[in-house]
Short mmCIF file of all heavy atoms in Angstrom, two decimals:
data_model
loop_
_atom_site.label_atom_id
_atom_site.label_comp_id
_atom_site.label_asym_id
_atom_site.label_seq_id
_atom_site.Cartn_x
_atom_site.Cartn_y
_atom_site.Cartn_z
N TYR R 667 4.75 -6.80 27.41
CA TYR R 667 5.54 -5.67 27.92
C TYR R 667 4.73 -4.77 28.82
O TYR R 667 5.14 -4.39 29.91
CB TYR R 667 6.12 -4.84 26.75
CG TYR R 667 6.78 -3.57 27.26
CD1 TYR R 667 8.01 -3.63 27.91
CD2 TYR R 667 6.14 -2.35 27.12
CE1 TYR R 667 8.61 -2.47 28.40
CE2 TYR R 667 6.73 -1.20 27.63
CZ TYR R 667 7.95 -1.27 28.28
OH TYR R 667 8.54 -0.13 28.78
N ARG R 668 3.49 -4.48 28.36
CA ARG R 668 2.64 -3.62 29.16
C ARG R 668 2.27 -4.30 30.49
O ARG R 668 2.17 -3.64 31.53
CB ARG R 668 1.39 -3.23 28.40
CG ARG R 668 1.64 -2.33 27.25
CD ARG R 668 0.40 -1.67 26.78
NE ARG R 668 -0.55 -2.60 26.15
CZ ARG R 668 -0.54 -2.95 24.91
NH1 ARG R 668 0.36 -2.44 24.07
NH2 ARG R 668 -1.44 -3.79 24.42
N PHE R 669 2.14 -5.62 30.44
CA PHE R 669 1.82 -6.37 31.65
C PHE R 669 2.96 -6.26 32.68
O PHE R 669 2.72 -6.01 33.86
CB PHE R 669 1.53 -7.81 31.28
CG PHE R 669 1.29 -8.73 32.45
CD1 PHE R 669 0.15 -8.55 33.22
CD2 PHE R 669 2.21 -9.71 32.77
CE1 PHE R 669 -0.11 -9.38 34.31
CE2 PHE R 669 1.94 -10.54 33.87
CZ PHE R 669 0.79 -10.39 34.60
N ILE R 670 4.21 -6.45 32.24
CA ILE R 670 5.28 -6.43 33.22
C ILE R 670 5.52 -5.01 33.72
O ILE R 670 5.96 -4.78 34.85
CB ILE R 670 6.62 -7.02 32.74
CG1 ILE R 670 7.06 -6.39 31.45
CG2 ILE R 670 6.53 -8.52 32.59
CD1 ILE R 670 8.53 -6.56 31.28
N GLU R 671 5.23 -4.01 32.91
CA GLU R 671 5.34 -2.59 33.37
C GLU R 671 4.31 -2.37 34.52
O GLU R 671 4.59 -1.69 35.45
CB GLU R 671 5.01 -1.67 32.21
CG GLU R 671 6.08 -0.62 32.01
CD GLU R 671 5.63 0.45 31.06
OE1 GLU R 671 4.56 0.33 30.45
OE2 GLU R 671 6.38 1.42 30.96
N LEU R 672 3.18 -3.03 34.38
CA LEU R 672 2.09 -2.86 35.33
C LEU R 672 2.39 -3.56 36.67
O LEU R 672 2.14 -3.04 37.75
CB LEU R 672 0.83 -3.46 34.74
CG LEU R 672 -0.50 -3.17 35.43
CD1 LEU R 672 -0.91 -1.75 35.15
CD2 LEU R 672 -1.57 -4.12 34.92
N ILE R 673 2.96 -4.79 36.62
CA ILE R 673 3.14 -5.55 37.82
C ILE R 673 4.43 -5.27 38.54
O ILE R 673 4.61 -5.62 39.71
CB ILE R 673 3.03 -7.09 37.58
CG1 ILE R 673 4.10 -7.55 36.58
CG2 ILE R 673 1.65 -7.44 37.09
CD1 ILE R 673 4.25 -9.02 36.53
N GLY R 674 5.40 -4.63 37.84
CA GLY R 674 6.75 -4.49 38.32
C GLY R 674 6.90 -4.01 39.75
O GLY R 674 7.64 -4.62 40.56
N TYR R 675 6.24 -2.93 40.11
CA TYR R 675 6.54 -2.30 41.37
C TYR R 675 5.91 -3.04 42.56
O TYR R 675 6.19 -2.71 43.71
CB TYR R 675 6.16 -0.83 41.37
CG TYR R 675 4.70 -0.55 41.29
CD1 TYR R 675 4.06 0.34 42.18
CD2 TYR R 675 3.89 -1.15 40.32
CE1 TYR R 675 2.75 0.62 42.12
CE2 TYR R 675 2.57 -0.88 40.27
CZ TYR R 675 1.98 -0.01 41.16
OH TYR R 675 0.65 0.26 41.10
N TRP R 676 5.04 -4.03 42.32
CA TRP R 676 4.44 -4.76 43.42
C TRP R 676 5.46 -5.52 44.24
O TRP R 676 5.21 -5.92 45.37
CB TRP R 676 3.31 -5.68 42.98
CG TRP R 676 2.10 -4.89 42.66
CD1 TRP R 676 1.68 -4.47 41.42
CD2 TRP R 676 1.12 -4.42 43.59
NE1 TRP R 676 0.53 -3.74 41.55
CE2 TRP R 676 0.16 -3.70 42.86
CE3 TRP R 676 0.95 -4.54 44.97
CZ2 TRP R 676 -0.92 -3.08 43.45
CZ3 TRP R 676 -0.13 -3.92 45.54
CH2 TRP R 676 -1.07 -3.19 44.80
N SER R 677 6.69 -5.77 43.68
CA SER R 677 7.70 -6.47 44.42
C SER R 677 8.22 -5.66 45.59
O SER R 677 8.86 -6.24 46.46
CB SER R 677 8.88 -6.81 43.49
OG SER R 677 8.41 -7.42 42.34
N MET R 678 7.93 -4.36 45.61
CA MET R 678 8.38 -3.57 46.77
C MET R 678 7.62 -3.99 48.03
O MET R 678 8.00 -3.56 49.13
CB MET R 678 8.12 -2.09 46.51
CG MET R 678 9.15 -1.39 45.67
SD MET R 678 10.78 -1.45 46.38
CE MET R 678 10.78 0.01 47.39
N LEU R 679 6.63 -4.81 47.88
CA LEU R 679 5.81 -5.25 48.99
C LEU R 679 6.66 -5.75 50.17
O LEU R 679 6.49 -5.28 51.33
CB LEU R 679 4.86 -6.39 48.58
CG LEU R 679 3.90 -6.90 49.63
CD1 LEU R 679 2.85 -5.88 49.98
CD2 LEU R 679 3.25 -8.16 49.18
N ASP R 680 7.58 -6.66 49.91
CA ASP R 680 8.37 -7.24 50.99
C ASP R 680 9.20 -6.19 51.71
O ASP R 680 9.37 -6.23 52.90
CB ASP R 680 9.26 -8.35 50.46
CG ASP R 680 9.09 -9.63 51.24
OD1 ASP R 680 8.01 -9.81 51.86
OD2 ASP R 680 9.99 -10.46 51.28
N VAL R 681 9.76 -5.23 50.91
CA VAL R 681 10.59 -4.22 51.55
C VAL R 681 9.76 -3.41 52.56
O VAL R 681 10.19 -3.12 53.67
CB VAL R 681 11.12 -3.21 50.42
CG1 VAL R 681 11.89 -2.11 51.04
CG2 VAL R 681 12.02 -4.02 49.47
N LEU R 682 8.53 -3.03 52.15
CA LEU R 682 7.70 -2.23 53.01
C LEU R 682 7.23 -3.04 54.23
O LEU R 682 7.14 -2.48 55.31
CB LEU R 682 6.49 -1.68 52.22
CG LEU R 682 6.95 -0.70 51.10
CD1 LEU R 682 5.76 -0.36 50.22
CD2 LEU R 682 7.59 0.52 51.67
N VAL R 683 6.96 -4.33 54.02
CA VAL R 683 6.52 -5.16 55.17
C VAL R 683 7.66 -5.24 56.20
O VAL R 683 7.44 -5.02 57.39
CB VAL R 683 6.13 -6.59 54.71
CG1 VAL R 683 5.88 -7.47 55.89
CG2 VAL R 683 4.88 -6.54 53.86
N VAL R 684 8.88 -5.47 55.72
CA VAL R 684 10.00 -5.52 56.62
C VAL R 684 10.19 -4.19 57.36
O VAL R 684 10.39 -4.16 58.59
CB VAL R 684 11.32 -5.92 55.89
CG1 VAL R 684 12.52 -5.71 56.77
CG2 VAL R 684 11.22 -7.38 55.42
N ALA R 685 10.03 -3.11 56.63
CA ALA R 685 10.16 -1.75 57.26
C ALA R 685 9.14 -1.57 58.39
O ALA R 685 9.48 -1.16 59.47
CB ALA R 685 9.98 -0.67 56.18
N LEU R 686 7.89 -1.92 58.10
CA LEU R 686 6.81 -1.73 59.08
C LEU R 686 7.06 -2.62 60.32
O LEU R 686 6.97 -2.15 61.47
CB LEU R 686 5.46 -2.07 58.44
CG LEU R 686 4.91 -0.99 57.50
CD1 LEU R 686 3.86 -1.64 56.61
CD2 LEU R 686 4.31 0.15 58.27
N VAL R 687 7.34 -3.90 60.03
CA VAL R 687 7.49 -4.84 61.13
C VAL R 687 8.70 -4.47 62.00
O VAL R 687 8.64 -4.50 63.23
CB VAL R 687 7.62 -6.27 60.56
CG1 VAL R 687 8.06 -7.21 61.61
CG2 VAL R 687 6.30 -6.70 59.96
N ALA R 688 9.80 -4.06 61.34
CA ALA R 688 11.02 -3.68 62.10
C ALA R 688 10.78 -2.42 62.93
O ALA R 688 11.31 -2.27 64.03
CB ALA R 688 12.18 -3.47 61.12
N ALA R 689 9.96 -1.53 62.39
CA ALA R 689 9.69 -0.30 63.19
C ALA R 689 8.79 -0.60 64.37
O ALA R 689 8.90 0.08 65.42
CB ALA R 689 9.04 0.75 62.28
N LEU R 690 7.93 -1.57 64.23
CA LEU R 690 6.94 -1.87 65.30
C LEU R 690 7.55 -2.69 66.43
O LEU R 690 7.40 -2.36 67.60
CB LEU R 690 5.75 -2.60 64.70
CG LEU R 690 4.64 -1.75 64.14
CD1 LEU R 690 3.65 -2.63 63.40
CD2 LEU R 690 3.95 -1.00 65.26
N VAL R 691 8.17 -3.81 66.08
CA VAL R 691 8.58 -4.75 67.09
C VAL R 691 9.96 -4.29 67.67
O VAL R 691 10.99 -4.68 67.16
CB VAL R 691 8.69 -6.17 66.55
CG1 VAL R 691 9.01 -7.16 67.64
CG2 VAL R 691 7.36 -6.55 65.91
N GLN R 692 9.92 -3.43 68.65
CA GLN R 692 11.12 -2.89 69.26
C GLN R 692 10.96 -2.93 70.77
O GLN R 692 10.93 -1.92 71.42
CB GLN R 692 11.33 -1.46 68.79
CG GLN R 692 11.79 -1.35 67.32
CD GLN R 692 13.12 -1.99 67.04
OE1 GLN R 692 13.96 -2.19 67.94
NE2 GLN R 692 13.36 -2.33 65.77
N PHE R 693 10.77 -4.12 71.34
CA PHE R 693 10.64 -4.25 72.76
C PHE R 693 11.89 -4.82 73.35
O PHE R 693 12.14 -6.02 73.27
CB PHE R 693 9.44 -5.17 73.11
CG PHE R 693 8.15 -4.70 72.57
CD1 PHE R 693 7.36 -5.48 71.75
CD2 PHE R 693 7.69 -3.38 72.84
CE1 PHE R 693 6.14 -5.07 71.24
CE2 PHE R 693 6.49 -2.93 72.33
CZ PHE R 693 5.74 -3.79 71.52
N ARG R 694 12.75 -3.93 73.85
CA ARG R 694 14.07 -4.38 74.32
C ARG R 694 13.95 -5.49 75.33
O ARG R 694 13.15 -5.40 76.27
CB ARG R 694 14.84 -3.19 74.90
CG ARG R 694 15.18 -2.21 73.87
CD ARG R 694 16.43 -1.45 74.12
NE ARG R 694 16.72 -0.61 72.98
CZ ARG R 694 17.22 -1.07 71.85
NH1 ARG R 694 17.58 -2.33 71.77
NH2 ARG R 694 17.41 -0.28 70.81
N GLY R 695 14.75 -6.52 75.21
CA GLY R 695 14.72 -7.58 76.16
C GLY R 695 13.66 -8.65 75.85
O GLY R 695 13.83 -9.81 76.20
N LEU R 696 12.56 -8.23 75.20
CA LEU R 696 11.50 -9.14 74.97
C LEU R 696 11.52 -9.65 73.52
O LEU R 696 11.62 -10.83 73.23
CB LEU R 696 10.17 -8.42 75.23
CG LEU R 696 9.01 -9.24 75.72
CD1 LEU R 696 9.39 -10.09 76.91
CD2 LEU R 696 7.84 -8.31 76.08
N SER R 697 11.43 -8.75 72.61
CA SER R 697 11.45 -9.06 71.20
C SER R 697 11.80 -7.88 70.31
O SER R 697 11.32 -6.77 70.55
CB SER R 697 10.05 -9.56 70.80
OG SER R 697 10.03 -9.90 69.45
N THR R 698 12.73 -8.10 69.41
CA THR R 698 13.07 -7.05 68.45
C THR R 698 13.17 -7.65 67.06
O THR R 698 13.48 -8.82 66.89
CB THR R 698 14.40 -6.36 68.76
OG1 THR R 698 15.41 -7.36 68.87
CG2 THR R 698 14.34 -5.55 70.04
N ILE R 699 12.88 -6.82 66.04
CA ILE R 699 13.07 -7.23 64.68
C ILE R 699 13.90 -6.15 63.97
O ILE R 699 13.62 -4.99 64.13
CB ILE R 699 11.70 -7.43 63.95
CG1 ILE R 699 10.96 -8.61 64.58
CG2 ILE R 699 11.95 -7.68 62.49
CD1 ILE R 699 9.63 -8.92 63.91
N GLU R 700 14.92 -6.56 63.27
CA GLU R 700 15.75 -5.62 62.56
C GLU R 700 15.84 -5.99 61.06
O GLU R 700 15.87 -7.19 60.72
CB GLU R 700 17.21 -5.62 63.10
CG GLU R 700 17.38 -4.87 64.37
CD GLU R 700 18.75 -5.15 64.95
OE1 GLU R 700 19.70 -5.35 64.19
OE2 GLU R 700 18.84 -5.15 66.19
N PRO R 701 15.93 -5.03 60.21
CA PRO R 701 16.16 -5.34 58.79
C PRO R 701 17.61 -5.77 58.58
O PRO R 701 18.50 -5.41 59.35
CB PRO R 701 15.88 -4.04 58.06
CG PRO R 701 16.09 -2.97 59.05
CD PRO R 701 15.76 -3.58 60.41
N ARG R 702 17.84 -6.58 57.57
CA ARG R 702 19.20 -7.08 57.29
C ARG R 702 19.54 -6.78 55.84
O ARG R 702 18.67 -6.42 55.05
CB ARG R 702 19.31 -8.53 57.59
CG ARG R 702 19.55 -8.88 59.04
CD ARG R 702 20.97 -8.56 59.45
NE ARG R 702 21.24 -8.95 60.83
CZ ARG R 702 21.16 -8.09 61.87
NH1 ARG R 702 20.82 -6.85 61.68
NH2 ARG R 702 21.42 -8.49 63.05
N LEU R 703 20.82 -6.98 55.50
CA LEU R 703 21.35 -6.60 54.21
C LEU R 703 20.54 -7.09 53.00
O LEU R 703 20.44 -6.43 51.96
CB LEU R 703 22.79 -7.06 54.10
CG LEU R 703 23.66 -6.42 53.01
CD1 LEU R 703 23.66 -4.92 53.17
CD2 LEU R 703 25.08 -7.00 53.10
N GLY R 704 20.00 -8.31 53.13
CA GLY R 704 19.24 -8.90 51.99
C GLY R 704 18.17 -7.96 51.46
O GLY R 704 17.90 -7.92 50.25
N ILE R 705 17.54 -7.20 52.35
CA ILE R 705 16.46 -6.36 51.89
C ILE R 705 16.93 -5.20 51.01
O ILE R 705 16.22 -4.77 50.11
CB ILE R 705 15.63 -5.83 53.09
CG1 ILE R 705 14.18 -5.55 52.71
CG2 ILE R 705 16.25 -4.63 53.76
CD1 ILE R 705 13.34 -6.73 52.37
N LEU R 706 18.17 -4.75 51.25
CA LEU R 706 18.76 -3.74 50.37
C LEU R 706 18.88 -4.31 48.95
O LEU R 706 18.44 -3.65 47.99
CB LEU R 706 20.13 -3.31 50.92
CG LEU R 706 20.99 -2.47 49.92
CD1 LEU R 706 20.39 -1.10 49.71
CD2 LEU R 706 22.39 -2.36 50.40
N PHE R 707 19.42 -5.49 48.86
CA PHE R 707 19.62 -6.08 47.50
C PHE R 707 18.25 -6.36 46.86
O PHE R 707 18.07 -6.14 45.65
CB PHE R 707 20.47 -7.36 47.59
CG PHE R 707 21.87 -7.11 47.85
CD1 PHE R 707 22.48 -7.36 49.06
CD2 PHE R 707 22.67 -6.56 46.84
CE1 PHE R 707 23.80 -7.06 49.29
CE2 PHE R 707 24.01 -6.28 47.03
CZ PHE R 707 24.56 -6.52 48.28
N PHE R 708 17.31 -6.77 47.71
CA PHE R 708 16.00 -7.04 47.12
C PHE R 708 15.37 -5.78 46.58
O PHE R 708 14.81 -5.75 45.45
CB PHE R 708 15.08 -7.69 48.13
CG PHE R 708 13.85 -8.21 47.50
CD1 PHE R 708 13.85 -9.35 46.76
CD2 PHE R 708 12.64 -7.51 47.59
CE1 PHE R 708 12.72 -9.81 46.11
CE2 PHE R 708 11.52 -7.96 46.97
CZ PHE R 708 11.57 -9.10 46.25
N GLY R 709 15.48 -4.71 47.34
CA GLY R 709 14.98 -3.39 46.87
C GLY R 709 15.66 -2.98 45.58
O GLY R 709 15.03 -2.46 44.68
N LEU R 710 16.98 -3.19 45.55
CA LEU R 710 17.70 -2.83 44.30
C LEU R 710 17.29 -3.66 43.14
O LEU R 710 17.26 -3.16 42.01
CB LEU R 710 19.22 -3.01 44.56
CG LEU R 710 19.89 -1.94 45.49
CD1 LEU R 710 21.31 -2.26 45.72
CD2 LEU R 710 19.69 -0.54 44.93
N VAL R 711 16.94 -4.93 43.35
CA VAL R 711 16.39 -5.75 42.25
C VAL R 711 15.15 -5.10 41.69
O VAL R 711 15.03 -4.95 40.47
CB VAL R 711 16.06 -7.20 42.73
CG1 VAL R 711 15.33 -7.95 41.63
CG2 VAL R 711 17.34 -7.94 43.10
N VAL R 712 14.26 -4.68 42.59
CA VAL R 712 13.02 -4.02 42.13
C VAL R 712 13.32 -2.77 41.33
O VAL R 712 12.78 -2.56 40.22
CB VAL R 712 12.10 -3.69 43.32
CG1 VAL R 712 10.78 -3.16 42.84
CG2 VAL R 712 11.82 -4.95 44.14
#
Side-chain angles (χ1 to χ4, degrees):
Chain R
Y667 172 74
R668 292 196 293 272
F669 176 69
I670 55 156
E671 232 192 352
L672 190 75
I673 59 168
Y675 69 129
W676 283 97
S677 308
M678 279 300 271
L679 183 70
D680 232 25
V681 175
L682 296 172
V683 171
V684 169
L686 285 160
V687 170
L690 272 171
V691 185
Q692 289 298 337
F693 301 125
R694 293 212 174 280
L696 209 53
S697 179
T698 54
I699 294 182
E700 281 171 33
R702 279 285 184 264
L703 197 56
I705 206 68
L706 167 69
F707 286 107
F708 190 75
L710 289 177
V711 170
V712 183

